[in-house]
Amino acid sequence: MPTYIEPVFRPPSEARSLIFQITIGCSQNHCAFCGMYKMKRFRLKPESEVMTEIDGIPARYRPAVDRVFLADGDALVYPFDGLAAILDRLAAVFPNLTRVGSYASPRSLTTKSVDELRQLREKKLRILYFGLESGDDATLAAVNKGFTAEEMVWEACKAREAGMKLSVTAILGLAGRSRSLEHARATAEWVNRVSPEYFSLLTLFHRHNDEFIRTLDQCTRRELLHEARELLVHLAPARTILRSNHVSNFLELAGSYPKDRERLIAEVDAALARLGRMPGFLDEVPAYGEEYY
């Protein structure tokens, strides 16, 4: 059976997936805003250990497994030959497997060619979860992302060229008040260029990142809603499913672009109107007071 070094994270859409932890931590573990893996030192789990865990799933449960998620932070960084062998073993052990997913940092994508990504897709690695965070270079530099927006366009488009589905996340409030609208517009433009199948919004929150939060000119809820609206107004991808269903968000949005554009903007406008009828202090306090795990 799989063994896990806690904490283990997975995207909301992988709630029903069987998780195998093939890396521990994140190879790109220096982003100032992110505390998900700060308690771990990155390492690869030996291929033999992963194979033993896959083989250890009892036969009676194997037909029920149709999705697998490979953890931790960017399992795509696993060396190509080993990752290909793991995918082959998954397909052999789980007869009804339809899809394997993984987080993919920009750094992990630099380790794979388009041809290698295409081969991994043929072995059922079908969706990558990509943390963009922002399309604004000033914001990316401030949070120590390690890549420019243009560099991330290049890496993301490699996955798209290989036929993989891409689920991209950006973070409301990441730029603080000073670059809130610039962050929103640049992020929308990035998504317009790549047109990922899925685009999700998170809201900046506390998790082992207190130093970064303290240095930020934090947005209020009203300002975060204006930031979200600015992003939605400028968003014009060819076809993208948009979600803001992460626990960090205080406004849930769900729709498809371009079909639901006007409805989504109207939902933000309605939220702003509701906030305007609430006590004024809600406009004044920073919106990053919660801590989620």
Side-chain angles (χ1 to χ4, degrees), residues 213-255:
I213 295 287
R214 281 195 299 269
T215 64
L216 196 66
D217 51 342
Q218 300 175 40
C219 295
T220 64
R221 289 189 173 223
R222 176 176 295 276
E223 290 165 337
L224 287 174
L225 286 172
H226 279 294
E227 183 176 299
R229 189 184 194 282
E230 187 77 2
L231 192 154
L232 294 178
V233 165
H234 287 86
L235 201 59
R239 185 178 180 183
T240 293
I241 295 172
L242 181 139
R243 294 285 187 270
S244 65
N245 59 351
H246 189 264
V247 67
S248 64
N249 296 319
F250 57 87
L251 176 64
E252 183 171 343
L253 300 168

Side-chain angles (χ1 to χ4, degrees), residues 27-199:
S27 67
Q28 189 176 319
N29 199 17
H30 49 61
C31 299
F33 66 89
C34 180
M36 288 174 65
Y37 301 105
K38 289 295 191 286
M39 69 295 295
K40 297 182 180 183
R41 175 174 290 185
F42 176 77
R43 65 179 177 87
L44 302 175
K45 184 176 284 189
E47 182 182 332
S48 59
E49 187 176 339
V50 176
M51 297 301 197
T52 298
E53 293 183 356
I54 294 172
D55 293 341
I57 301 298
R60 65 183 179 276
Y61 297 127
R62 294 179 182 183
V65 176
D66 59 356
R67 290 188 178 185
V68 166
F69 182 73
L70 300 178
D72 261 339
D74 54 353
L76 187 68
V77 80
Y78 209 92
F80 173 78
D81 289 342
L83 183 53
I86 289 169
L87 292 170
D88 285 340
R89 185 66 64 89
L90 289 171
V93 169
F94 303 111
N96 296 318
L97 184 65
T98 61
R99 188 183 86 176
V100 179
S102 166
Y103 286 125
S105 70
R107 178 181 176 186
S108 69
L109 278 165
T110 67
T111 68
K112 304 293 184 291
S113 67
V114 173
D115 182 63
E116 287 174 329
L117 291 171
R118 190 175 290 115
Q119 291 181 59
L120 294 175
R121 184 194 177 280
E122 291 172 356
K123 296 177 184 292
K124 300 186 180 181
L125 181 58
R126 300 286 166 78
I127 185 166
L128 300 178
Y129 297 89
F130 182 84
L132 168 66
E133 329 311 356
S134 176
D136 175 46
D137 280 339
T139 301
L140 292 170
V143 302
N144 201 25
K145 181 67 178 178
F147 287 80
T148 66
E150 186 65 30
E151 289 168 339
M152 287 195 285
V153 165
W154 173 259
E155 297 303 329
C157 285
K158 283 167 52 178
R160 302 283 284 131
E161 185 179 347
M164 288 184 168
K165 290 184 177 180
L166 203 61
S167 181
V168 173
T169 55
I171 302 177
L172 296 174
L174 187 65
R177 288 174 168 169
S178 60
R179 293 194 64 82
S180 175
L181 298 184
E182 290 88 349
H183 161 55
R185 289 191 289 268
T187 301
E189 175 58 26
W190 193 98
V191 174
N192 294 344
R193 292 179 64 187
V194 176
S195 282
E197 281 80 5
Y198 305 98
F199 175 52

